[in-house]
Amino acid sequence: MKRIAVLTSGGDAPGMNAAIRAVVRAGIYNGLEVFGIIGGFEGMIDGDFIPLHAETVSNIIQRGGTILKTSRSPRFLTQECMRGASNHITNLSIDGIIALGGDGTFRAADDFQQYCQIPFIGVPCTIDNDLAGTDYTIGFDTAINTVVHAVDKIRDTADAHNRLFFVEVMGNDSGQIALMSSIGVGAEAVLIPESITDTDHLIQLLDKGWNRKKTSCIIIVSEGDEEGGAAQVAEKVKSHFDYYDTRITVLGHIQRGGNPSCMDRVNATRLGVAAIEALLAGRKHEMVGIVNNQIAYTPFKNAVKQHPPIDPSLLKITTILSA
Ligand code: F6P
């Protein structure tokens, strides 16, 4: 193996740049030439490859986003585009590719085998922390810290006005961001897709809080909750409380940006180096992950979205502490 390429694909995640830096520097350390593919699979189709050097990745470990740009590319799945991408790889004599992304990225890389036998190694990057084969995805830790910082600010104003806030967080159909951040901010309640939302229970809880003169209430609502987002849940609940002044905040894409946390930088760096070592060891079509703090390899076919049952003791913490 002499020449490899790296790409970022799907939703960006803080820590992607730290992983790119690790891939490039570990590749060079092992005598490889490294190329970057701009815009994920879109760049593979269009032949948008650039050489990456040690200095290209200077001063990026602390930056959010991705210097390589990213995209979701439905057209990559067409025969014509896969053939085109395959030609670019052959013309440039690329021997292996490292793909930073989520389950959609790994599925696309797996499908690409029909047209090109190039070994692919995946690195899990998504703020949702919902991939099988890793305890941890790059970006999750930064996202929950972003939520905690934002909700701490909301708590100040909620407390000043005796207000009830419904705060919607990302996660798609996973409640991991909501669950962890709700514990971190001391929320009065958390609504996640993995557990059935009981609106009557929520109303009783808020009533109890009011009776014991709570000055603010924060309800964290996962965007994928079956009762809907924060606006829908607030609508159902607020008619029961003429005493609470209700507000809604949707945190949105601020959860995807910003400087990665130390944990995201460290894990992105470990996984970037592990991805290079995996390619050099002849591994292919696998995602490198971290399981019980050890590097683990999962075939792309199994590195799918997963929604493991939520530990009920974690859910219970919010109920116990908001009583
Ligand atoms: O998968 C990451 C994620 O941020 C989800 O939490 C969210 O539902 C989705 O991406 C938003 O996607 P987009 O940036 O395309 O709106």
Side-chain angles (χ1 to χ4, degrees):
M1 186 154 303
K2 292 202 172 78
R3 193 179 261 191
I4 63 153
V6 54
L7 63 84
T8 49
S9 162
D12 62 319
M16 272 181 160
N17 279 326
I20 295 169
R21 171 180 177 271
V23 165
V24 172
R25 296 250 168 111
I28 292 168
Y29 176 86
N30 284 288
L32 299 173
E33 237 186 306
V34 187
F35 280 74
I37 305 175
I38 303 298
F41 291 112
E42 286 290 303
M44 228 163 108
I45 300 165
D46 297 336
D48 205 354
F49 292 63
I50 56 162
L52 297 175
H53 309 289
E55 58 280 11
T56 324
V57 292
S58 290
N59 205 13
I60 66 165
I61 192 169
Q62 77 281 20
R63 283 172 55 193
T66 156
I67 60 160
L68 292 178
K69 310 280 184 190
T70 186
S71 63
R72 295 191 167 102
S73 173
R75 78 180 172 125
F76 180 70
L77 300 175
T78 63
Q79 237 186 56
E80 193 192 343
C81 288
M82 286 213 182
R83 286 222 172 91
S86 171
N87 289 340
H88 293 306
I89 286 163
T90 312
N91 293 343
L92 269 173
S93 308
I94 303 283
D95 304 312
I97 299 181
I98 294 178
L100 279 50
D103 62 318
T105 304
F106 307 147
R107 247 190 336 269
D110 214 25
D111 289 353
F112 189 56
Q113 281 179 72
Q114 298 165 45
Y115 299 91
C116 183
Q117 283 306 306
I118 188 151
F120 255 97
I121 291 291
V123 177
C125 297
T126 163
I127 63 165
D128 301 340
N129 203 29
D130 60 352
L131 287 179
T134 189
D135 294 340
Y136 160 90
T137 60
I138 295 167
F140 174 67
D141 186 63
T142 306
I144 56 177
N145 277 293
T146 299
V147 173
V148 165
H149 291 141
V151 177
D152 285 351
K153 293 187 172 99
I154 292 171
R155 178 72 85 177
D156 290 344
T157 173
D159 186 62
H161 286 266
N162 291 355
R163 277 179 172 156
L164 162 62
F165 268 83
F166 291 85
V167 181
E168 183 176 309
V169 300
M170 276 188 170
N172 205 341
D173 47 6
S174 157
Q176 294 282 338
I177 294 178
L179 182 61
M180 290 304 154
S181 59
S182 69
I183 296 173
V185 300
E188 276 62 30
V190 57
L191 312 185
I192 57 173
E194 292 87 345
S195 73
I196 305 287
T197 296
D198 181 346
T199 315
D200 293 338
H201 179 253
L202 181 62
I203 291 166
Q204 278 168 25
L205 186 124
L206 293 173
D207 210 27
K208 223 163 116 189
W210 181 262
N211 289 333
R212 68 177 187 89
K213 303 203 171 2
K214 253 181 161 327
T215 53
S216 64
C217 266
I218 304 280
I219 314 296
I220 303 286
V221 185
S222 178
E223 65 178 354
D225 190 74
E226 75 283 359
E227 288 290 318
Q232 286 93 324
V233 176
E235 203 47 51
K236 279 181 200 149
V237 169
K238 77 179 179 197
S239 58
H240 294 265
F241 302 105
D242 42 8
Y243 40 87
Y244 271 125
D245 192 10
T246 306
R247 291 290 184 275
I248 295 156
T249 303
V250 178
L251 292 183
H253 285 79
I254 65 161
Q255 295 159 94
R256 286 242 298 265
N259 308 119
S261 65
C262 181
M263 183 171 162
D264 272 325
R265 297 181 200 194
V266 170
N267 284 334
T269 303
R270 281 181 76 187
L271 288 168
V273 172
I276 288 287
E277 288 171 351
L279 270 185
L280 290 171
R283 307 192 80 105
K284 50 184 160 182
H285 315 313
E286 288 177 330
M287 178 193 81
V288 290
I290 297 178
V291 176
N292 296 329
N293 207 23
Q294 300 293 318
I295 296 296
Y297 307 93
T298 303
F300 280 153
K301 285 205 173 1
N302 302 334
V304 292
K305 254 179 189 281
Q306 68 162 4
H307 300 297
I310 292 283
D311 179 349
S313 66
L314 287 180
L315 257 184
K316 207 172 160 198
I317 285 175
T318 303
T319 314
I320 294 171
L321 300 185
S322 70

